[in-house]
Amino acid sequence: MQDESNRDGAQRLGRAFSKGHPALVTYLMAGYPTRETSLASLHALADAGSDLIELGVPFADPLADGPVIRNAADKARQANEGGFGLAETIALAADFLKEAGPDAPPVALMTYLNPLMRMGLPKVADALRAAGVGGVIVPDMPPEMAGPWLRAAHDLDTVFLAAPTSTPARLEKVALYSSGFVYCVSSLGVTGERSELPEELTALVSRVRDATVLPVAVGFGISTPEHVAAVARIADGIVVGSALVKRQDDPSEVFSFASELVKARDIS
């Protein structure tokens, strides 16, 4: 559904899934605990070998996020003078991508529909293009409501979510409107660490695969190197969020943990 004619292929999210191994998709909260530290943590992820970075936009009502990410969003909004929201997150992504150069992993913003609409959809899309951001993940924007955004963001990737409760008809729509990859939510509920992966995860990934030709990345509850190795055996990508955000106040810890995740991905 997306127009790829005018975009630098290196910025597209699909590049992360073309390396011959499952993609490690890592999440950080922009501006947490400070802008400078979050920028350093972005570089730590790139240096560790992350294949794609999700950069969270601090937002007051993050309905899909659990306590770790909610707390980081609140602190980011309060810690940075003048607040920290969508515009500041796009500027942070631009600085990271400029500093990291052509070898930087592609970046997707994870945000909500309200910040997009407040800034204005065409303005957001233009700002993302100028920053070099590859696309967005918007958990509260179902495919049925995405028309205005998809028209504004025609050459940006938009990733939709498939859940354990998604019907075949819903999976068909998610596959039709997604670009870059399909985000497979491992279990019901909000983001956050889990002790074990759901027993039915393999079957869920298989259902999503049957509906799309795009790569399928699994997120929500992927917390340990053991989880990463297990998911890498059944999916095209593994998304790790809260377990990294917990370490985000120390970029050296982000680097060390992300390096462990990369090793787990590679030995799967």
Side-chain angles (χ1 to χ4, degrees):
M1 297 295 291
Q2 304 280 297
D3 172 12
E4 304 199 8
S5 59
N6 297 318
R7 291 283 288 166
D8 181 348
Q11 298 170 350
R12 301 302 294 247
L13 305 186
R15 179 167 67 92
F17 300 88
S18 61
K19 298 181 176 179
H21 56 68
L24 178 64
V25 183
T26 51
Y27 175 100
L28 290 179
M29 176 57 67
Y32 173 72
T34 65
R35 187 186 197 280
E36 292 72 20
T37 306
S38 63
L39 180 59
S41 290
L42 285 169
H43 284 289
L45 290 181
D47 292 344
S50 175
D51 298 300
L52 192 158
I53 295 175
E54 281 184 38
L55 186 57
V57 176
F59 180 51
D61 187 23
L63 59 88
D65 291 317
V68 171
I69 292 179
R70 280 177 174 265
N71 181 60
D74 289 343
K75 289 188 174 179
R77 292 168 54 239
Q78 297 164 5
N80 293 273
E81 187 175 351
F84 208 96
L86 178 57
E88 291 78 13
T89 301
I90 295 172
L92 176 68
D95 286 351
F96 164 67
L97 290 165
K98 182 178 180 181
E99 292 173 4
D103 294 331
V107 172
L109 256 57
M110 189 158 185
T111 184
Y112 290 88
L113 190 54
N114 185 285
L116 297 180
M117 295 184 70
R118 276 191 299 174
M119 181 182 283
L121 303 183
K123 184 177 180 180
V124 174
D126 287 344
L128 292 175
R129 292 186 189 98
V133 171
V136 297
I137 304 165
V138 189
D140 61 345
M141 181 175 71
E144 294 85 353
M145 296 175 57
W149 167 252
L150 292 174
R151 286 190 288 275
H154 57 90
D155 56 352
L156 296 163
D157 289 320
T158 301
V159 178
F160 291 95
L161 279 65
T165 53
S166 294
T167 64
R170 165 63 60 167
L171 291 179
E172 185 177 335
K173 285 190 176 180
V174 166
L176 178 63
Y177 290 101
S178 288
S179 56
F181 67 98
V182 172
Y183 193 126
C184 179
V185 175
S186 70
S187 54
L188 298 177
V190 296
T191 61
E193 297 179 83
R194 312 276 202 277
S195 58
E196 296 180 355
L197 299 174
E199 293 182 1
E200 62 274 17
L201 183 56
T202 299
L204 173 61
V205 173
S206 180
R207 283 208 300 131
V208 179
R209 280 191 188 281
D210 287 343
T212 183
V213 297
L214 293 173
V216 176
V218 176
F220 282 47
I222 314 301
S223 313
T224 68
E226 291 75 18
H227 288 171
V228 168
V231 175
R233 289 192 283 270
I234 61 172
D236 305 300
I238 316 101
V239 186
V240 181
S242 296
L244 282 161
V245 174
K246 279 177 60 176
R247 295 164 168 83
Q248 203 180 317
D249 58 353
D250 185 345
S252 66
E253 284 198 30
V254 170
F255 175 81
S256 297
F257 187 61
S259 298
E260 291 181 39
L261 301 178
V262 168
K263 289 179 183 176
R265 174 204 68 190
D266 291 343
I267 63 173
S268 62

